[in-house]
Amino acid sequence: MDESSEKLPASGPNGNDGASPAAEDAGFRVGQRVHAIGNPRRTGTVRYVGEVEGHVGEWVGVDWDDGEGKHDGSVNGVRYFAAAGERSASFVRPKNLSAGISFIEALHLRYRGDSTKEEEDEMYVLSTSNKRVSIQLVGKNKVQEKLKHFEELRGASVSYLGVSFVEPSHEINALVPNLEELDLTGNLLSKWQDIGSLCDALPALGVLNLTNNFMEHDVEELPLLKIIRTLVLNNCGMAWKEVEILKESLPAVEELHLMANKLRTIMPAPSVPVTAFVPGFDNLRLINLEDNCIDSWDEILKLSYLRSLEQLHLNKNKLKHIYYPANHPCPGTPNNYYMQDTSWRPFENLQCLLLGCNEIEDLASIDSLNSFPSLMDIRLSENPIVDPAQGGVPRFVLVARLAKAKILNGSEVSPRERKESEIRYVRLVMAKMQSDDSEEIKQLHPRFAELKALHGIEDEKPSCGISGPQKMASGLLCVTLKCVGASIGEKQPLKKKIPPSTTVGKLKVLCESFFKLKGIQLRLFLQEERLQFRCTNVA
């Protein structure tokens, strides 16, 4: 649910209140979370209960989460409510909607319910001839019997079962006293008080997943969730002001997942004066903000005060530029916080930064990543700066410019790759340099001088008075070719001069010709010390 739809009041025909006298009779209320009968994954929010002009009986106007409805809350020119999308709403008979079940009912349904014949008929694999082969579960009865002992459960999932409310804490604790991980994905929970009751009832609960539950925005009375270490709030309609309020209730949280909440800004809660700003999240190691709408790096810098932060996931946002704040304070953070410890550096413990699928297009942003004190794992895939079709640079340039990267785009940067990339990058810069101005070169290629000295690369001396064939010959590479194979033994090495632009494929063709190896599959090996190529027969 985006911020604009929050402000739209539920309204009846011609702007009246969405609730009608029939609301209680139908059993639904405006703002209630529901799902379609027989399909708990088809969830939505009630926006209107009452009559629809031209149609008999009572109707429930639902704004569906998946956006697949028939209209925007108005029918035949009469507006009953304002939906989030142009075609995200529809009117449904009350009998076709479910208000959900309780948490304990869902546990019994998931872990004590016997599988039906229809479900067992659907348990099969396809053979090579595309025929169904039934699956027999070995030890099925034993597993089911173990699951029925709820007091032994350490982890439970009641995802997409329509959970809409919870029982009293003492009832839940008596049933599953040792639960440590709980997955509530895709249910109908919306009240933070219910979440607080669950946490009170489960003293060992450390991991809680509330993905796809559209939570209410009033979280002021949330009790202390002192045990929660991992909290997943993906696609829950969260705004950052609610995150700030939650912060006070989560003293032990280490991972916070906030994917797909349409977040644009990161800011303190309006009720908290800047002079009384308390950072909080002292143990937070990972923040996942993927698939949001953040387009300014200044917003991300507001998280730089988090001293324990090691991983920051920002894939699928709209960031265009990155920079490291040379002089703090960072935007949006009070000056007096930084004055407490002059040795502190922004993002001082950040090791992993995922920036895939953004809009980064400048090399200055790439170079700024070297200033992050502890950064080693970087993702930049699906940005214009790494897309050759948009003038982006290849991987070896990224490796050379990112001095501390040990993992790039999910792949390890080995010592050999780093060395080869840096040497190749230096030679590329030397070949394309248009100026001898050291300051200009340093600005465009900050690591050039460092890498040139590190690898002992000398400037190429111009050859005076050499032209024509002599000049061409001076640019050739001298290589030694050895041919070794199990079926042909070892042939006499050959020394050849080849152009620097020779491709591996072309070199294979030359080897076939030099050693008369037509029809034999070849494999090339490079021995760097003397620039020797060894050709082996793998046929």
Side-chain angles (χ1 to χ4, degrees):
M1 180 187 303
D2 58 23
E3 294 180 0
S4 60
S5 65
E6 295 173 30
K7 301 174 184 177
L8 295 172
S11 57
N14 302 317
N16 297 324
D17 193 302
S20 74
E24 293 183 3
D25 296 336
F28 295 99
R29 68 180 188 281
V30 173
Q32 184 176 6
R33 297 283 292 159
V34 295
H35 70 74
I37 288 290
N39 186 6
R41 291 177 179 266
R42 171 86 160 148
T43 56
T45 303
V46 174
R47 295 301 184 196
Y48 172 80
V49 182
E51 297 180 356
V52 176
E53 192 174 303
H55 299 272
V56 298
E58 302 298 326
W59 295 86
V60 180
V62 181
D63 197 358
W64 298 105
D65 297 344
D66 58 12
E68 297 182 4
K70 296 183 178 180
H71 51 74
D72 65 352
S74 62
V75 178
N76 296 328
V78 179
R79 176 161 296 283
Y80 296 88
F81 61 95
E86 294 182 358
R87 300 183 66 84
S88 65
S90 61
F91 285 105
V92 187
R93 291 292 189 186
K95 66 178 182 179
N96 294 324
L97 294 173
S98 171
I101 61 177
S102 73
F103 174 64
I104 289 181
E105 285 180 291
L107 282 174
H108 283 278
L109 185 63
R110 177 60 53 86
Y111 293 102
R112 282 188 174 166
D114 294 328
S115 57
T116 64
K117 183 179 185 302
E118 290 75 14
E119 289 174 332
E120 291 181 355
D121 288 343
E122 289 300 311
M123 299 173 65
Y124 63 88
V125 294
L126 294 176
S127 67
T128 53
S129 57
N130 209 34
K131 292 183 179 180
R132 293 188 179 188
V133 178
S134 298
I135 295 175
Q136 181 179 3
L137 295 179
V138 178
K140 171 186 173 184
N141 294 335
K142 187 175 181 180
V143 171
Q144 287 184 336
E145 184 62 31
K146 183 176 180 180
L147 290 176
K148 290 179 180 179
H149 296 287
F150 280 166
E151 68 277 3
E152 298 179 9
L153 276 180
R154 295 291 187 273
S157 172
V158 290
S159 58
Y160 296 103
L161 288 181
V163 177
S164 58
F165 64 98
V166 302
E167 288 83 357
S169 295
H170 69 275
E171 294 183 20
I172 298 173
N173 180 263
L175 184 66
V176 283
N178 298 306
L179 209 59
E180 298 174 359
E181 299 183 10
L182 178 58
D183 184 359
L184 288 164
T185 296
N187 282 288
L188 304 177
L189 292 167
S190 60
K191 297 181 179 298
W192 282 104
Q193 288 73 17
D194 286 337
I195 305 306
S197 297
L198 270 175
C199 293
D200 285 343
L202 304 171
L205 188 64
V207 179
L208 179 61
N209 189 343
L210 294 171
T211 294
N212 293 343
N213 288 272
F214 278 23
M215 306 305 298
E216 291 182 349
H217 299 281
D218 181 11
V219 296
E220 294 181 1
E221 298 180 2
L222 187 66
L224 191 65
L225 310 180
K226 58 184 178 181
I227 303 298
I228 297 296
R229 299 185 312 279
T230 298
L231 181 60
V232 184
L233 294 168
N234 297 337
N235 193 30
C236 288
M238 298 290 295
W240 195 266
K241 62 182 180 181
E242 292 142 27
V243 177
E244 287 291 324
I245 297 172
L246 279 175
K247 177 173 63 177
E248 300 175 12
S249 299
L250 297 165
V253 70
E254 297 177 2
E255 291 189 19
L256 183 60
H257 297 262
L258 296 163
M259 293 177 60
N261 280 293
K262 298 182 180 179
L263 293 170
R264 298 178 184 276
T265 58
I266 295 172
M267 54 188 172
S271 60
V272 180
V274 172
T275 55
F277 181 83
V278 179
F281 285 144
D282 294 333
N283 299 303
L284 195 59
R285 296 185 301 101
L286 184 153
I287 301 180
N288 187 344
L289 292 169
E290 294 187 12
D291 200 13
N292 279 290
C293 305
I294 303 171
D295 59 5
S296 171
W297 186 250
D298 286 349
E299 297 300 323
I300 303 303
L301 288 179
K302 295 174 185 178
L303 303 172
S304 63
Y305 66 83
L306 299 172
R307 296 201 175 198
S308 298
L309 189 63
E310 297 176 358
Q311 297 186 47
L312 182 54
H313 298 190
L314 298 171
N315 294 327
K316 298 183 179 180
N317 275 277
K318 298 180 179 180
L319 295 167
K320 296 179 175 63
H321 306 286
I322 306 164
Y323 68 91
Y324 186 81
N327 299 310
H328 43 269
C330 297
T333 311
N335 295 352
N336 59 357
Y337 176 69
Y338 296 93
M339 294 173 62
Q340 296 173 10
D341 186 354
T342 56
S343 65
W344 177 87
R345 292 184 294 173
F347 293 119
E348 64 180 356
N349 288 312
L350 187 67
Q351 299 176 23
C352 174
L353 180 59
L354 305 186
L355 293 162
C357 202
N358 275 275
E359 300 173 11
I360 301 167
E361 56 186 5
D362 62 313
L363 284 170
S365 292
I366 305 302
D367 295 331
S368 71
L369 297 175
N370 288 318
S371 299
F372 288 69
S374 306
L375 192 59
M376 299 182 297
D377 185 352
I378 304 167
R379 180 174 290 277
L380 293 163
S381 51
E382 297 184 69
N383 278 280
I385 192 60
V386 297
D387 184 0
Q390 301 183 55
V393 298
R395 178 180 169 91
F396 82 88
V397 173
L398 293 176
V399 171
R401 296 185 83 117
L402 296 171
K404 294 180 285 189
K406 294 184 178 179
I407 300 176
L408 178 61
N409 294 336
S411 299
E412 181 184 358
V413 179
S414 67
R416 176 172 178 174
E417 182 187 13
R418 174 160 294 285
K419 178 181 177 182
E420 292 177 351
S421 296
E422 290 175 349
I423 292 174
R424 185 179 177 187
Y425 169 71
V426 170
R427 295 199 180 280
L428 176 67
V429 174
M430 292 173 65
K432 293 186 175 183
M433 278 195 306
Q434 303 294 323
S435 169
D436 292 330
D437 187 340
S438 59
E439 285 301 318
E440 181 181 351
I441 294 173
K442 183 178 180 180
Q443 183 178 359
L444 295 175
H445 306 280
R447 298 197 69 213
F448 173 72
E450 170 197 348
L451 295 177
K452 185 180 174 185
L454 175 65
H455 298 291
I457 300 174
E458 300 290 339
D459 289 325
E460 294 182 359
K461 297 179 180 180
S463 301
C464 300
I466 300 178
S467 60
Q470 287 184 326
K471 183 176 181 180
M472 182 180 297
S474 67
L476 297 178
L477 298 176
C478 183
V479 299
T480 300
L481 301 172
K482 288 184 179 181
C483 181
V484 180
S487 60
I488 59 177
E490 181 173 346
K491 294 193 174 185
Q492 189 69 22
L494 297 176
K495 286 188 177 182
K496 296 289 183 179
K497 290 186 177 182
I498 59 175
S501 60
T502 303
T503 63
V504 172
K506 180 65 176 176
L507 186 56
K508 282 187 176 182
V509 173
L510 292 173
C511 288
E512 289 178 358
S513 175
F514 293 152
F515 296 108
K516 297 181 173 56
L517 300 173
K518 297 294 184 181
I520 297 178
Q521 186 178 357
L522 303 181
R523 182 175 297 169
L524 295 180
F525 295 89
L526 173 64
Q527 184 177 328
E528 294 183 84
E529 288 79 1
R530 299 179 182 176
L531 199 55
Q532 296 179 344
F533 285 91
R534 188 176 62 180
C535 173
T536 62
N537 168 22
V538 296

